[in-house]
Amino acid sequence: MDQGLLRALQLDGRAAFSRIARQLGVSERTVGRRYGALRALGLRVVGQPVPARLGMTCWLLRIQCTPDSAGTIAGALARRADTSWISLASGGTELYCAVTTPGPHERDALLLDKLPRTPHLVQISAHCLLRLFTDITSTWYATGIPFRRRGTGAGGAPPPRCDVIDLTAPLGLDDIDHVLVAALAEDGRAGLPELAAAAGCSPSSIQRRLQRLRSQGALGFCVDFAPRHLGYHLMTHLWLRVAPGELSAIGRALASHPEIAFAAATTGPHNLVASGVFRGDHDLYDYLDRRIGSLAGVQAIVTAPILREVKRLTR
């Protein structure tokens, strides 16, 4: 029941309980009760703007620092509004951070000014995210639920994908859109009356704006739920060096694997980055040996197990 509910929310974070109930063959009241129980365990559905569709750029930072400074630096990055996900890996000396910048000025202020002057940093590498192969999201760590599926289901049609939307012309947001997106970042399932009150307009107007933002690929919904509650205790970053002519094919292949929550083409010596969720080290070994090993065009792979998540999504 719980896993069916989570699958439905992954397909559509705002799916009505009545629709989910019909798909699962239970009452709407039962779905609401189970949703409440999952929320008590930390489940969040969060609305997220899509950076590429709004003319912004997402950067993946790999920050090496001294062991005694990792926590302090991670905390400082977590307090920044432009960071969406921060993790600690590689023996506690390497931070991974997702940063969204609206333009070159903000990018340079962080990468060329702020970070280089931070004490106890050993090395910084910044990788520009070029193309998402998983569902549209503004975060590096998309869901953490290792049974994401394609197609329709209890939640109806999935959100638009980046490979079927023209991202070359940025979509502008007005003041009401910004208020709506901010409210959905707090609760992606907030009701129309609540959203209308926050934005100062009618529920019907909010409904039309939601449909426009989603259909135009400017807004996606992420399901955030700790994998450990489902028996998955190992999260790992995967950095792959792929033959240029095979990049799209391998990226799509990774995106189809239920273990992979995030996959994207990026700049740098490794041109494909992914985030995977596994039950343990045996599952990770099997995945690397059988799934990754069978993909022609993969020239090298580096794994970096996640020790601790410092920030998830926008919190």
Side-chain angles (χ1 to χ4, degrees):
M1 173 86 58
D2 291 339
Q3 292 194 25
L5 173 56
L6 290 169
R7 289 189 182 98
L9 292 174
Q10 282 184 310
L11 290 172
D12 182 356
R14 290 186 61 83
F17 285 163
S18 58
R19 296 180 63 187
I20 298 175
R22 287 194 298 271
Q23 178 68 22
L24 298 180
V26 298
S27 68
E28 183 176 348
R29 182 177 180 180
T30 297
V31 171
R33 185 172 65 250
R34 295 312 310 159
Y35 176 76
L38 292 175
R39 285 200 56 161
L41 290 175
L43 170 65
R44 290 193 300 149
V45 178
V46 180
Q48 295 280 279
V50 181
R53 193 67 179 95
L54 301 179
M56 299 185 289
T57 304
C58 187
W59 294 83
L60 309 182
L61 308 183
R62 299 180 70 174
I63 303 173
Q64 293 183 351
C65 52
T66 59
D68 60 337
S69 65
T72 301
I73 295 173
L77 288 170
R79 290 190 292 271
R80 294 179 60 96
D82 54 2
T83 61
S84 58
W85 192 79
I86 301 169
S87 67
L88 184 63
S90 300
T93 61
E94 189 167 37
L95 297 174
Y96 292 77
C97 176
V99 179
T100 300
T101 59
H105 175 74
E106 292 81 5
R107 176 201 63 199
D108 293 348
L110 175 64
L111 300 182
L112 302 181
D113 182 29
K114 182 66 176 179
L115 285 177
R117 293 190 294 107
T118 302
H120 306 296
L121 284 189
V122 177
Q123 184 177 353
I124 305 169
S125 60
H127 308 267
C128 181
L129 192 153
L130 301 176
R131 173 62 61 90
L132 286 172
F133 295 108
T134 41
D135 292 339
I136 284 181
T137 175
S138 66
T139 60
W140 188 357
Y141 181 63
T143 62
I145 305 175
F147 48 60
R148 175 173 39 78
R149 295 290 184 265
R150 303 295 181 212
T152 59
R161 293 175 53 81
C162 59
D163 54 3
V164 296
I165 295 175
D166 180 13
L167 300 180
T168 59
L171 179 69
L173 302 184
D174 61 23
D175 291 341
I176 295 179
D177 289 334
H178 284 293
V179 172
L180 176 58
V181 169
L184 292 171
E186 293 296 323
D187 181 6
R189 291 187 60 84
L192 292 179
E194 181 181 350
L195 295 173
C201 56
S202 67
S204 60
S205 175
I206 290 295
Q207 179 66 22
R208 288 192 297 271
R209 286 175 179 271
L210 272 173
Q211 292 174 348
R212 175 177 60 85
L213 292 174
R214 299 188 75 179
S215 65
Q216 295 181 339
L219 178 67
F221 289 87
C222 302
V223 177
D224 181 32
F225 190 64
R228 68 180 183 276
H229 295 309
L230 300 170
Y232 295 84
H233 301 285
L234 178 61
M235 293 178 286
T236 304
H237 297 309
L238 306 173
W239 295 86
L240 286 72
R241 188 167 69 244
V242 176
E246 301 292 335
L247 185 57
S248 179
I250 293 178
R252 292 173 185 272
L254 289 180
S256 70
H257 297 169
E259 300 91 345
I260 299 301
F262 170 88
T266 185
T267 59
H270 294 87
N271 51 3
L272 184 62
V273 61
S275 178
V277 185
F278 307 91
R279 292 189 180 277
D281 51 0
H282 294 293
D283 281 354
L284 174 59
Y285 175 83
D286 187 68
Y287 180 77
L288 295 174
D289 183 44
R290 298 187 180 185
R291 306 296 290 277
I292 299 294
S294 66
L295 297 175
V298 176
Q299 300 172 338
I301 182 171
V302 174
T303 59
I306 300 171
L307 302 181
R308 180 163 61 93
E309 291 178 294
V310 179
K311 184 176 185 179
R312 294 166 64 96
L313 299 176
T314 55
R315 290 187 180 178

